[in-house]
Amino acid sequence: MTYFVDVALRWSDMDAYAHVNNVQFLRLLEDARVAAFAQWFSEDRTLLDAGVLVARHEIEYLAPLVFRHAPVRIFLWPTRISGASFEIGYEVRDPEGVGDQLYARAETSLVAYDFPTASPRRLTSAERVALRALAGAPVPFRWRRR
């Protein structure tokens, strides 16, 4: 788990309880994922240009995240790769020099999609190679450790 993206928090991410709202975590993950894909698939932009859809999110909240000017560091990696879909695992943490808090673990299931035909498509061999090069262990959700 070495790839990460630092994502800024917004004042509007906070809710009435003075911490980052649980729904805003999805935006943080999306911001990190979009930045990662630009790097992971820089040579072959088929996945980004042709389409990819979110099929599922799972988030395990571990600590409240309050607004601050320092960004959060989101580590992300592919965890499962199949014919037309893959999963991305995440850890939302403090960046180096700010602390060592783990705020959340998450996973997103994504499906390669062909918008002109309105149907899923198979991942290309180049996409599979790029994903496999970064692949790591499944997200260690608490429910998986039972």
Side-chain angles (χ1 to χ4, degrees):
M1 192 178 20
T2 57
Y3 186 85
F4 65 85
V5 176
D6 287 343
V7 179
L9 298 174
R10 300 177 308 185
W11 181 257
S12 61
D13 291 341
M14 281 194 307
D15 62 16
Y17 300 111
H19 59 71
V20 174
N21 184 276
N22 62 331
V23 173
Q24 293 304 322
F25 272 79
L26 291 174
R27 182 195 59 83
L28 297 172
L29 300 178
E30 179 182 52
D31 287 352
R33 191 171 59 248
V34 168
F37 283 6
Q39 295 232 337
W40 296 357
F41 303 105
S42 60
E43 296 290 321
D44 178 8
R45 300 199 40 97
T46 305
L47 183 68
L48 299 173
D49 294 339
V52 61
L53 298 178
V54 171
R56 181 186 66 86
H57 287 298
E58 182 173 353
I59 302 176
E60 186 173 80
Y61 301 98
L62 302 168
L65 174 59
V66 297
F67 176 80
R68 81 274 180 105
H69 293 288
V72 289
R73 180 158 290 175
I74 301 179
F75 290 87
L76 61 161
W77 66 97
T79 60
R80 186 189 61 78
I81 305 156
S82 67
S85 65
F86 59 101
E87 293 181 354
I88 300 292
Y90 312 84
E91 285 194 349
V92 180
R93 298 182 160 274
D94 283 327
E96 194 172 306
V98 172
D100 192 30
Q101 182 65 51
L102 173 60
Y103 297 100
R105 288 188 177 105
E107 189 171 66
T108 300
S109 298
L110 297 147
V111 177
Y113 198 75
D114 180 17
F115 284 108
T117 64
S119 61
R121 65 167 180 83
R122 298 199 53 83
L123 292 167
T124 67
S125 59
E127 289 166 345
R128 276 195 198 82
V129 166
L131 290 166
R132 283 188 190 125
L134 297 157
V139 177
F141 290 119
R142 287 180 288 200
W143 64 263
R144 287 184 174 159
R145 292 182 265 171
R146 292 181 191 158

